[in-house]
Amino acid sequence: MPTYRAPVRDMKFLLHEILNVAELAQYEQFSEVDVDLVDAIVEESAKFSEEVLAPLNVVGDHEGCTRHDDGSVTTPTGFKEAYQTMVENGWTALPRDPNYGGQGLPGVLQIACAEMQTSANMAFSMYPGLTGGAIKAITVGGSPEQKQTYLPKMIAGEWTGTMNLTESHCGTDLGLLKTKAVPQPDGSYKITGSKIFISAGEHDMADNIIHLVLARIEGAPQGVKGISLFIVPKFKLDENENPGERNGVTCGSIEEKMGIHGNSTCVMNYDDATGYLIGEENKGLKVMFVMMNEARIGVGMQGLGQSEVAYQNAVDYARDRLQGRSLTGPKNENGPADPIIVHPDVRRMLMETRALNEGGRALLYWAAMHEDIERHSDDEKLVEKCDDYLGLLTPVIKGYLTDMAMRTTIDCQQIYGGHGFIEEWGMSQFVRDARIAMIYEGANGIQALDLVGRKLARNGGRALMTLSAEIDAFVAEHQGNENMAEFTSGLKEAKDTLTQGTMWLMQNGMTNPDNAGAGSVDYMHMLGLASLSYMWAKMALVAQAAIDNGSNDEFYSNKLITGRFFLKRMLPQIHAHLAKMKSGAEPVMALAAEAF
Amino acid sequence: MPTYRAPVRDMKFLLHEILNVAELAQYEQFSEVDVDLVDAIVEESAKFSEEVLAPLNVVGDHEGCTRHDDGSVTTPTGFKEAYQTMVENGWTALPRDPNYGGQGLPGVLQIACAEMQTSANMAFSMYPGLTGGAIKAITVGGSPEQKQTYLPKMIAGEWTGTMNLTESHCGTDLGLLKTKAVPQPDGSYKITGSKIFISAGEHDMADNIIHLVLARIEGAPQGVKGISLFIVPKFKLDENENPGERNGVTCGSIEEKMGIHGNSTCVMNYDDATGYLIGEENKGLKVMFVMMNEARIGVGMQGLGQSEVAYQNAVDYARDRLQGRSLTGPKNENGPADPIIVHPDVRRMLMETRALNEGGRALLYWAAMHEDIERHSDDEKLVEKCDDYLGLLTPVIKGYLTDMAMRTTIDCQQIYGGHGFIEEWGMSQFVRDARIAMIYEGANGIQALDLVGRKLARNGGRALMTLSAEIDAFVAEHQGNENMAEFTSGLKEAKDTLTQGTMWLMQNGMTNPDNAGAGSVDYMHMLGLASLSYMWAKMALVAQAAIDNGSNDEFYSNKLITGRFFLKRMLPQIHAHLAKMKSGAEPVMALAAEAF
């Protein structure tokens, strides 16, 4: 059975040595944040994830969720109890608004905790994860009364939440959605329609489920301009705001999926269900998109989480499994064979996964830190920069990290040979669970289109210009440092290649938008590689300084080795992406649709 | 539910216009081969695969195989009847030796038929597939009596076969195997041990199962030099050579796997089972490896087969699914949205899959044709060339085609968005089934090592030199043809880049074998890309000639479009592989094993 050990050392390195999260204490809400508090939380979270959640991961995969004839759903053995422990320990409240019972801790700390929960048990982590999305939507769009009614219970974990967007005929293109809302005299609405792929749609872990539902008010315009957002509680609230009468919403069935079996992915049927409008009529998507950007970063984190746990298990296996001899002579002479970690191709797969995980984690936490600053700083220029970076990097974090997580989980499974294909060993589950992250919250192709079609051009390309200037300044500052030469030159190469790609897009994407579309995924990967080059340069700087200051901790020298691997063995891919992109739309679009 | 339509037109194009299989009629055994016969077989095979096998694919995935308390195994509903139809129609005998009841038809025709069966139902196709491997092993190593006893029944499909190599502690490194064989006075052996991952190890479709088992005769040397190969029938044969008494071999359990659920992958327990030595004592691996090379080409074919059926379904979905609008303005103005095939990134995924499938199919059939010639020609020089090419390209066909099939099946699943993740739509099964092809018959890392460590250097590098000369000659002959300019220059670029990689390996692999190991997978992909560039140039030549001769068949112009896509959007990857490879072993091996 697979195991999980939270990468606490790497997390602390990022939180303290790279990001200096204690600096967040300058903002009122984070005034209590210091190194000790952060360490204590990371360590407690590690324990909770390793001891409570990880042992249930395989159970969830094997048992899945069960829908009963009355529409109720039972989660896998142990999930309900684990959720109770989670609630009691306050994990659901960690980053939430203290005005509604939250602990008000930084989002960057939450992302570290969420990464651990996801590595330990992705299907489980989605129940509180979706609730977080719903909390965000109510926070952004809800009235003071709605916030007061729903947020405290949801933050405490007593109630969970869901996001109801997709219908069978539309997911990406929400303008097509048909679920309808009919205004009632009392100001509420009757919601009718059917939603699919609703994660955590029905389960037995909480007293109530607060569904956030996109629907079209009778008579509203067609398309995206006629979509409103509603709160539809599973149980309507009685006069004391406790769950009372059953609302007209039921789980019609549970989807049979490739992975995340422990999460109940439901078809939700709304039949004159009572709903309450959030925000303005026909402005539902605006609220939804605020929430979705955060969710997209969370999905990038899920990719990292699966890649990390797959890596750990593959390392263990590669150290234990004896098979063949090293090409350079036996390394385990007294044994019947060498451990397969001696083989360069096994190393290659492990090193690629490691370099992506550590680089991806840095990018993710760095972005989360920018979000904390954006929300709490009064410095307009700084807030603007944070907002720019988040806009630019959200599709990269979602699209690039999950694309790469698919490859790394497959590579880690490959290290197991035939045993990787057998469910008993658990590697298949990491691959199957990671698969969804490329798809939901906007398929990765949509992320790439969002990047090249929207985020890149916003405010005259300001976000990328600011980031490029930051990178240039970093290179200028450190290129004289001989120990940093590989990192600064690699970073410069990455940034220059990216710039060529950006220029090409500017010159060719306007005249024919299909040029941008055809190169969008390549460009997203280029920005991913460039971003990770920057993260690696930042990490190398700190690691090198620690060594220069006399540290013997091998953590630092290993960091440099891993970073150099990234530059030499992974960054070259950026040139292939540029070449493919520059071939333009013509080869991609030349075949007639009917000729496929 | 997914569907399958055999790509009959593309197959005929390859068999007749590219390979001219009718030329095989010059060899005595193939004297009846002509265009009409080939077409008739391809068409009948298409019908059988589409109508009989394809409808059972999802059934097999859902039901899996069931082991009963007595050790017997039931295959999924309909498998037994489909197998009966297969046998009655003679499909198991098609390429087999006429001296034992086979039809003696070319292997290149068999590979086309097997591709269809695999696309239609990979798990099913493995039952006759494994039998083919066992037939090959008995043909290569068996005594005349053994051939007479086993081959007719196996070729007729009355009995099936298995290959028993892996034990729980060894797969790649067979030198470690422990199953023992004790000589008996009557010349037979008692076999005892446990084998795992035995595909088609036990089932209800045939009267007997002929297990080929690797074991160590008592007192034999340790390591690979002490391994012998045995025939162990499930039912011992009575005096009339009919299945009689049960032998001491039983299915201990069926593995729960990520995919190919319809195939019974068994733990096989041998307990004093009666076995008969094939060939010489301690020379079992030699026979096994002959068989395995053919099996590896078959696994490459499995990758292609899954990629093809995934492509077809993704095309159908991309044409039907209405979502969003084309970036260049609506293409389906009267509908609520455009079909997603208008979107460049959806196109990119479809085109990549298409270009790999058509190029991969060409490489596969071209290799199979070389095998037919090798076996039947008297021309020593020609036989040598065929043998060289097969040695060189077998690891590429197995490793490159299955690596790429994993990516393409994932891309095709991605086109379905959330529906791709739901088992009901069938795309998940193609991904899960394709996954095993990267692993078995030698994991792809082993293929790459076989290529750079063995096949490349054999006979002073003769195979690659011959192939390079053939490519040079092709380029020289056609580079003056303006219509072929893209193809000849692309091919030249591919070949020159490959040559740089080969030179680097020669200069650096000797001094440090880890340099070869660390670059082996990159090199395998380089040779894959170069081989496909050659196939595309050959196909373009024929397609262009047809157009020049006045053909209006869009098949030819589409072929050129797809080939150009390959050169512009996929071939650039070869440079990234070269750059990664040339960074050498140091970055890959620098981290201490305990530091991972």
Side-chain angles (χ1 to χ4, degrees):
Chain A
M1 210 168 79
T3 57
Y4 172 63
R5 300 172 302 277
V8 169
R9 178 71 179 92
D10 200 49
M11 289 174 167
K12 288 184 182 174
F13 169 73
L14 291 174
L15 294 170
H16 302 314
E17 298 177 68
I18 300 293
L19 300 173
N20 198 2
V21 290
E23 272 188 7
L24 289 173
Q26 69 186 284
Y27 306 117
E28 199 192 333
Q29 183 174 318
F30 301 141
S31 57
E32 288 171 33
V33 171
D34 62 15
V35 172
D36 288 346
L37 179 73
V38 168
D39 283 355
I41 289 171
V42 168
E43 283 158 22
E44 278 305 309
S45 171
K47 219 184 284 179
F48 169 67
S49 298
E50 291 167 0
E51 295 172 10
V52 178
L53 300 186
L56 299 177
N57 196 37
V58 170
V59 177
D61 188 55
H62 282 199
E63 288 187 18
C65 295
T66 311
R67 179 187 176 278
H68 306 285
D69 289 343
D70 63 356
S72 66
V73 169
T74 313
T75 50
T77 306
F79 271 42
K80 190 172 173 172
E81 294 74 14
Y83 182 74
Q84 207 46 49
T85 306
M86 181 173 202
V87 166
E88 283 162 13
N89 294 353
W91 292 115
T92 60
L94 191 141
R96 308 295 168 207
D97 190 341
N99 293 317
Y100 302 101
Q103 298 173 32
L105 287 164
V108 64
L109 196 51
Q110 166 65 13
I111 202 109
C113 296
E115 184 203 317
M116 297 185 231
Q117 292 158 17
T118 301
S119 282
N121 195 327
M122 178 165 156
F124 178 93
S125 72
M126 291 171 65
Y127 294 96
L130 267 298
T131 307
I135 288 170
K136 175 87 182 182
I138 295 173
T139 303
V140 169
S143 67
E145 295 72 27
Q146 287 172 333
K147 291 182 194 178
Q148 205 51 63
T149 303
Y150 298 102
L151 293 183
K153 301 278 195 181
M154 294 172 80
I155 287 171
E158 288 179 50
W159 301 349
T160 64
T162 71
M163 310 301 310
N164 291 239
L165 287 73
T166 306
E167 300 179 5
S168 63
H169 64 289
C170 72
T172 301
D173 190 353
L174 289 169
L176 302 174
L177 73 79
K178 294 176 178 167
T179 296
K180 70 171 183 192
V182 182
Q184 302 300 305
D186 67 354
S188 71
Y189 292 78
K190 292 284 187 201
I191 313 287
T192 300
S194 188
K195 296 283 182 179
I196 65 169
F197 304 159
I198 308 308
S199 301
E202 178 62 72
H203 59 80
D204 54 358
M205 306 197 317
D207 296 338
N208 206 354
I209 300 175
I210 309 305
H211 302 291
L212 296 202
V213 184
L214 288 182
R216 201 180 294 281
I217 296 172
E218 261 193 337
Q222 286 305 300
V224 291
K225 291 181 176 161
I227 298 175
S228 304
L229 182 62
F230 298 89
I231 293 175
V232 183
K234 172 180 168 184
F235 293 103
K236 288 189 261 195
L237 304 184
D238 64 19
E239 61 277 15
N240 300 317
E241 302 215 318
N242 290 319
E245 190 193 342
R246 195 70 159 82
N247 205 346
V249 48
T250 49
C251 166
S253 64
I254 297 183
E255 304 282 6
E256 235 191 88
K257 308 181 299 289
M258 183 175 178
I260 49 166
H261 295 160
N263 200 276
S264 61
T265 307
C266 301
V267 173
M268 297 303 295
N269 296 322
Y270 292 85
D271 185 10
D272 275 348
T274 300
Y276 310 99
L277 184 69
I278 299 188
E280 293 176 58
E281 286 186 12
N282 304 333
K283 296 278 168 65
L285 280 185
K286 218 175 107 187
V287 176
M288 219 39 150
F289 275 112
V290 175
M291 179 283 300
M292 222 187 271
N293 272 329
E294 194 173 287
R296 286 174 174 181
I297 290 181
V299 174
M301 177 275 290
Q302 292 184 320
L304 168 64
Q306 293 311 290
S307 184
E308 171 65 34
V309 68
Y311 168 80
Q312 293 183 9
N313 285 279
V315 167
D316 288 350
Y317 190 81
R319 282 209 196 97
D320 288 350
R321 177 78 171 174
L322 305 181
Q323 207 80 177
R325 290 293 183 187
S326 164
L327 298 170
T328 55
K331 301 286 176 283
N332 176 34
E333 275 192 76
N334 298 324
D338 288 343
I340 61 172
I341 202 167
V342 304
H343 301 305
D345 191 58
V346 170
R347 290 275 183 136
R348 177 187 63 80
M349 294 189 277
L350 290 176
M351 286 299 294
E352 286 186 4
T353 308
R354 180 184 178 95
L356 282 165
N357 290 353
E358 295 185 8
R361 181 176 295 120
L363 181 64
L364 191 64
Y365 291 14
W366 188 68
M369 178 86 172
H370 279 88
E371 200 168 353
D372 283 322
I373 297 169
E374 184 202 2
R375 282 201 211 152
H376 296 279
S377 173
D378 296 327
D379 178 342
E380 274 181 39
K381 204 68 202 158
L382 182 60
V383 169
E384 179 185 284
K385 189 189 87 164
C386 290
D387 189 56
D388 281 353
Y389 280 14
L390 282 166
L392 184 70
L393 293 174
T394 294
V396 176
I397 287 172
K398 199 283 184 183
Y400 176 70
L401 292 191
T402 63
D403 274 359
M404 298 319 290
M406 196 67 216
R407 298 201 196 163
T408 56
T409 51
I410 287 173
D411 276 350
C412 290
Q413 182 188 31
Q414 186 75 11
I415 288 171
Y416 279 67
H419 299 279
F421 197 65
I422 306 298
E423 293 294 351
E424 184 190 348
W425 288 82
M427 299 306 284
S428 161
Q429 186 186 354
F430 300 138
V431 173
R432 291 185 289 98
D433 286 359
R435 182 68 188 90
I436 189 60
M438 290 172 69
I439 298 174
Y440 61 16
E441 297 298 344
N444 286 358
I446 300 297
Q447 303 300 323
L449 210 55
D450 179 46
L451 174 64
V452 302
R454 208 173 297 153
K455 300 299 179 57
L456 205 55
R458 216 164 60 170
N459 301 310
R462 191 178 63 203
L464 186 62
M465 282 191 283
T466 311
L467 180 59
S468 295
E470 183 176 329
I471 290 174
D472 287 343
F474 183 97
V475 170
E477 189 180 345
H478 302 292
Q479 64 189 357
N481 179 345
E482 209 174 291
N483 285 327
M484 283 292 290
E486 276 178 279
F487 290 95
T488 51
S489 70
L491 177 56
K492 187 171 181 316
E493 177 193 336
K495 187 239 148 194
D496 289 348
T497 312
L498 178 71
T499 304
Q500 287 181 54
T502 315
M503 299 294 286
W504 187 91
L505 275 180
M506 285 168 60
Q507 285 156 9
N508 299 278
M510 306 285 197
T511 49
N512 177 6
D514 278 347
N515 277 325
S520 57
V521 165
D522 283 308
Y523 186 82
M524 180 174 77
H525 278 247
M526 290 176 71
L527 185 48
L529 285 158
S531 304
L532 258 57
S533 299
Y534 184 36
M535 292 301 118
W536 273 113
K538 286 168 85 77
M539 292 193 283
L541 188 68
V542 172
Q544 188 62 53
I547 292 167
D548 293 344
N549 287 331
S551 170
N552 292 323
D553 188 343
E554 284 180 1
F555 178 85
Y556 297 112
S557 48
N558 293 337
K559 201 49 107 175
L560 293 174
I561 288 171
T562 308
R564 290 200 181 100
F565 175 90
F566 177 82
L567 295 174
K568 289 196 173 157
R569 298 280 313 194
M570 307 192 74
L571 182 56
Q573 188 62 38
I574 200 170
H575 302 290
H577 287 303
L578 180 64
K580 291 174 194 178
M581 197 179 96
K582 284 170 90 168
S583 74
E586 197 277 333
V588 177
M589 304 303 286
L591 200 69
E594 54 278 8
F596 276 83
Chain B
M1 209 169 77
T3 57
Y4 173 63
R5 300 172 302 280
V8 169
R9 178 70 179 91
D10 201 47
M11 290 174 167
K12 289 184 182 174
F13 169 73
L14 290 174
L15 294 170
H16 302 314
E17 299 177 68
I18 300 294
L19 299 174
N20 198 2
V21 290
E23 272 188 7
L24 289 174
Q26 68 186 284
Y27 307 116
E28 198 191 333
Q29 183 175 318
F30 301 142
S31 58
E32 286 171 34
V33 171
D34 62 17
V35 172
D36 288 346
L37 178 73
V38 168
D39 283 356
I41 289 171
V42 168
E43 284 158 21
E44 278 305 309
S45 170
K47 219 184 283 179
F48 169 68
S49 298
E50 291 167 1
E51 295 173 7
V52 179
L53 301 186
L56 299 176
N57 196 36
V58 170
V59 177
D61 188 55
H62 282 199
E63 289 186 17
C65 294
T66 311
R67 179 186 175 279
H68 306 284
D69 288 343
D70 63 357
S72 67
V73 169
T74 312
T75 51
T77 307
F79 270 41
K80 190 173 172 170
E81 293 74 14
Y83 182 73
Q84 207 45 48
T85 306
M86 182 174 203
V87 165
E88 282 162 13
N89 293 354
W91 293 114
T92 59
L94 191 141
R96 308 295 168 207
D97 190 341
N99 293 318
Y100 302 100
Q103 297 173 35
L105 287 164
V108 64
L109 196 51
Q110 166 65 13
I111 203 110
C113 295
E115 183 203 318
M116 297 186 231
Q117 292 159 16
T118 301
S119 282
N121 195 327
M122 179 164 153
F124 177 92
S125 71
M126 291 171 66
Y127 294 96
L130 267 298
T131 307
I135 288 170
K136 175 88 182 182
I138 295 174
T139 303
V140 169
S143 67
E145 294 72 25
Q146 287 173 333
K147 291 183 193 179
Q148 205 51 63
T149 302
Y150 297 103
L151 293 182
K153 301 279 194 182
M154 293 171 80
I155 287 171
E158 287 179 50
W159 301 349
T160 64
T162 72
M163 311 301 308
N164 290 240
L165 288 73
T166 305
E167 300 178 8
S168 62
H169 64 289
C170 72
T172 301
D173 189 353
L174 290 169
L176 302 174
L177 72 79
K178 292 176 180 165
T179 296
K180 69 171 183 192
V182 181
Q184 302 299 305
D186 67 352
S188 71
Y189 292 79
K190 291 284 188 200
I191 313 286
T192 300
S194 189
K195 295 284 182 177
I196 65 169
F197 304 159
I198 307 308
S199 301
E202 179 60 73
H203 58 79
D204 55 358
M205 305 196 320
D207 295 338
N208 206 354
I209 301 175
I210 309 305
H211 302 292
L212 296 203
V213 184
L214 287 182
R216 201 181 293 283
I217 296 172
E218 261 193 337
Q222 286 304 300
V224 291
K225 290 180 178 162
I227 298 174
S228 303
L229 182 61
F230 299 89
I231 294 176
V232 182
K234 173 180 168 184
F235 294 103
K236 288 189 260 193
L237 305 185
D238 64 18
E239 61 277 15
N240 301 317
E241 304 214 316
N242 290 322
E245 191 193 343
R246 196 70 159 79
N247 204 346
V249 48
T250 50
C251 166
S253 64
I254 297 182
E255 304 282 6
E256 236 192 87
K257 307 180 301 288
M258 183 175 180
I260 50 167
H261 295 161
N263 200 275
S264 61
T265 306
C266 300
V267 173
M268 296 303 296
N269 296 322
Y270 293 85
D271 185 10
D272 275 345
T274 299
Y276 310 97
L277 183 69
I278 299 188
E280 293 174 59
E281 286 186 12
N282 304 332
K283 296 279 168 65
L285 281 184
K286 219 176 107 187
V287 176
M288 220 40 150
F289 275 114
V290 174
M291 180 282 300
M292 224 187 270
N293 272 330
E294 194 173 287
R296 286 173 173 180
I297 290 181
V299 174
M301 176 276 289
Q302 291 184 321
L304 167 65
Q306 293 310 290
S307 184
E308 171 65 34
V309 68
Y311 168 81
Q312 292 183 8
N313 284 279
V315 166
D316 288 349
Y317 190 81
R319 282 208 197 97
D320 287 351
R321 177 77 171 175
L322 304 180
Q323 206 81 175
R325 289 293 184 188
S326 165
L327 299 170
T328 55
K331 301 286 178 282
N332 176 33
E333 275 192 77
N334 298 325
D338 289 341
I340 61 172
I341 201 165
V342 304
H343 302 307
D345 191 58
V346 171
R347 288 278 183 136
R348 176 187 62 78
M349 294 189 277
L350 290 176
M351 286 299 293
E352 286 186 3
T353 308
R354 181 184 178 93
L356 282 165
N357 290 353
E358 294 184 8
R361 181 175 295 119
L363 181 63
L364 190 65
Y365 292 13
W366 188 68
M369 179 84 171
H370 279 86
E371 200 169 352
D372 283 321
I373 296 170
E374 184 201 2
R375 282 199 210 153
H376 296 279
S377 173
D378 296 326
D379 178 342
E380 275 181 38
K381 204 69 203 153
L382 183 59
V383 168
E384 179 186 282
K385 189 188 88 163
C386 291
D387 189 56
D388 281 352
Y389 281 14
L390 283 166
L392 184 72
L393 294 174
T394 295
V396 175
I397 287 172
K398 198 285 185 182
Y400 177 70
L401 292 190
T402 63
D403 274 0
M404 298 318 291
M406 196 68 216
R407 299 202 195 162
T408 56
T409 52
I410 287 172
D411 276 350
C412 290
Q413 181 188 31
Q414 186 75 10
I415 288 171
Y416 278 68
H419 298 281
F421 197 64
I422 305 298
E423 292 294 351
E424 183 190 346
W425 289 81
M427 299 306 284
S428 162
Q429 186 185 355
F430 300 138
V431 173
R432 292 184 288 97
D433 286 359
R435 182 67 188 90
I436 189 60
M438 289 172 70
I439 298 175
Y440 61 16
E441 298 296 345
N444 287 357
I446 299 296
Q447 303 301 324
L449 210 55
D450 179 45
L451 175 63
V452 302
R454 208 174 296 151
K455 299 298 179 58
L456 205 54
R458 217 164 60 172
N459 302 309
R462 191 178 64 203
L464 185 63
M465 283 192 284
T466 310
L467 180 60
S468 295
E470 182 175 329
I471 290 174
D472 287 343
F474 184 97
V475 171
E477 187 180 345
H478 301 292
Q479 66 189 354
N481 179 344
E482 210 174 293
N483 285 327
M484 282 292 290
E486 277 177 280
F487 290 95
T488 50
S489 70
L491 177 56
K492 187 171 181 316
E493 177 193 337
K495 187 241 150 193
D496 289 348
T497 312
L498 178 71
T499 303
Q500 288 181 54
T502 314
M503 299 293 287
W504 187 90
L505 274 180
M506 284 169 60
Q507 285 156 9
N508 299 278
M510 303 286 196
T511 49
N512 178 6
D514 279 349
N515 277 325
S520 57
V521 165
D522 283 308
Y523 187 82
M524 180 174 77
H525 278 248
M526 289 175 73
L527 185 48
L529 285 158
S531 303
L532 257 57
S533 298
Y534 184 37
M535 293 301 118
W536 273 112
K538 286 168 83 78
M539 291 192 285
L541 188 70
V542 171
Q544 188 62 53
I547 292 166
D548 293 345
N549 287 330
S551 171
N552 292 323
D553 188 344
E554 285 180 3
F555 178 86
Y556 297 111
S557 48
N558 293 337
K559 200 49 106 175
L560 293 174
I561 288 171
T562 308
R564 290 199 181 99
F565 175 91
F566 177 83
L567 295 174
K568 289 196 173 159
R569 299 281 312 194
M570 307 193 75
L571 182 55
Q573 188 62 38
I574 200 169
H575 302 290
H577 287 302
L578 181 63
K580 291 174 194 178
M581 196 178 96
K582 284 170 90 169
S583 73
E586 197 279 333
V588 177
M589 304 303 287
L591 200 69
E594 54 277 11
F596 277 84

